[in-house]
Amino acid sequence: MNTLDPKRYVINNVDALLRIMHADPRYALDFRNKAEQHITLKLRKKFFNASPEGVVDAFNNALMKFLQTRTFKDEGFLHGQPAGGWAAHELAVSKLGGYLYRGSLHELIQMHRRTRHEVPWTGPDADAQHEDNVFDDAEDVGDPSPFSDPAKAYEHLSVVQRMRDCLNQLSDTLRATMFLYLDEVPMEQIAKQQDLHVPTVKSRLHAARKLVTDCTRKGMD
């Protein structure tokens, strides 16, 4: 192996990850630094006025809770794991990275609610728009305010739960395409996995979005 190649470890569960981090502090540090960089950048794009220190604190709290509770599912480590195992920078942006991002988002919202400071929602930027536009009609569902501010959105979990229920009511084909998209699988890869053309994938996502939006709207009437 080239000496410049990153170290890789096959990781099947949280306990294995913790053993590796204990035995290889460099790997642990590389993972933490890459995860912090990736997650805090995404959070700063979402929370325009959040202080950099607050965003980092939210990430640290989420990471600490992950290490304490060990609630991440084992199959998350297996999803997309290279044959030689995870390099630290790859693991940081894997399913585990997504899990830590959601935890960090929750922590940041909780911090906002405790301090009662206004944290404006800036909406997706040009680079991130592809991640969010599947539900761009959702702001018309019920009271639009829950979707204009993440703190308010968190307080309207009934709407979020309703949307999840509606997702599960989709046909198998639409649901499979939608879940791949929500897992941030690139459009071209979705098309390849499902043996479809990219325009067909886009058409399915458009149909799924409309069905979920209509279903959610009916549920909130």
Side-chain angles (χ1 to χ4, degrees):
M1 183 178 72
N2 191 309
T3 56
L4 296 179
D5 289 341
K7 283 189 176 180
R8 294 182 175 275
Y9 295 96
V10 175
I11 303 173
N12 298 321
N13 52 55
V14 176
D15 287 338
L17 174 62
L18 295 181
R19 286 195 298 270
I20 291 166
M21 288 183 167
H22 179 74
D24 189 345
R26 180 66 185 180
Y27 184 91
L29 182 62
D30 288 346
F31 165 75
R32 186 200 176 285
N33 288 345
K34 179 61 178 179
E36 178 183 323
Q37 178 187 23
H38 177 68
I39 291 170
T40 56
L41 178 61
K42 290 184 70 173
L43 289 175
R44 286 287 290 159
K45 288 181 179 180
K46 299 290 186 184
F47 291 85
F48 182 73
N49 283 347
S51 69
E53 296 82 5
V55 173
V56 172
D57 285 345
F59 167 76
N60 286 332
N61 290 344
L63 181 61
M64 185 63 66
K65 288 185 178 180
F66 159 69
L67 295 174
Q68 291 174 343
T69 62
R70 307 184 184 188
T71 53
F72 185 67
K73 294 182 179 179
D74 294 350
E75 52 264 33
F77 289 108
L78 303 178
H79 183 88
Q81 182 166 193
W86 290 110
H89 69 278
E90 295 170 341
L91 184 62
V93 295
S94 68
K95 286 282 188 180
L96 177 57
Y99 175 86
L100 291 174
Y101 169 75
R102 291 188 293 274
S104 301
L105 177 61
H106 171 79
E107 290 295 322
L108 193 57
I109 290 171
Q110 292 296 85
M111 290 165 59
H112 160 71
R113 296 173 72 184
R114 286 194 296 268
T115 58
R116 298 184 179 181
H117 289 167
E118 188 65 23
V119 183
W121 174 260
T122 62
D125 59 17
D127 293 332
Q129 188 170 3
H130 71 281
E131 298 178 359
D132 301 313
N133 61 7
V134 170
F135 289 107
D136 56 8
D137 292 336
E139 61 186 10
D140 297 326
V141 180
D143 178 5
S145 60
F147 298 93
S148 61
D149 185 309
K152 293 179 181 178
Y154 187 77
E155 294 170 356
H156 288 72
L157 289 177
S158 60
V159 178
V160 176
Q161 183 59 54
R162 178 62 186 169
M163 293 181 74
R164 289 175 178 169
D165 292 342
C166 291
L167 273 170
N168 289 327
Q169 293 176 28
L170 293 172
S171 67
D172 291 343
T173 53
L174 290 182
R175 186 169 62 250
T177 302
M178 178 65 84
F179 281 171
L180 285 171
Y181 187 87
L182 294 177
D183 280 340
E184 300 184 358
V185 177
M187 197 81 68
E188 294 77 11
Q189 188 173 338
I190 296 175
K192 185 176 181 180
Q193 287 186 21
Q194 298 191 325
D195 195 22
L196 301 170
H197 296 295
V198 171
T200 304
V201 173
K202 292 181 178 180
S203 177
R204 285 189 178 183
L205 290 172
H206 177 78
R209 178 185 62 191
K210 186 177 187 307
L211 288 170
V212 170
T213 301
D214 291 346
C215 171
T216 306
R217 184 180 291 116
K218 290 178 182 178
M220 301 307 295
D221 287 341

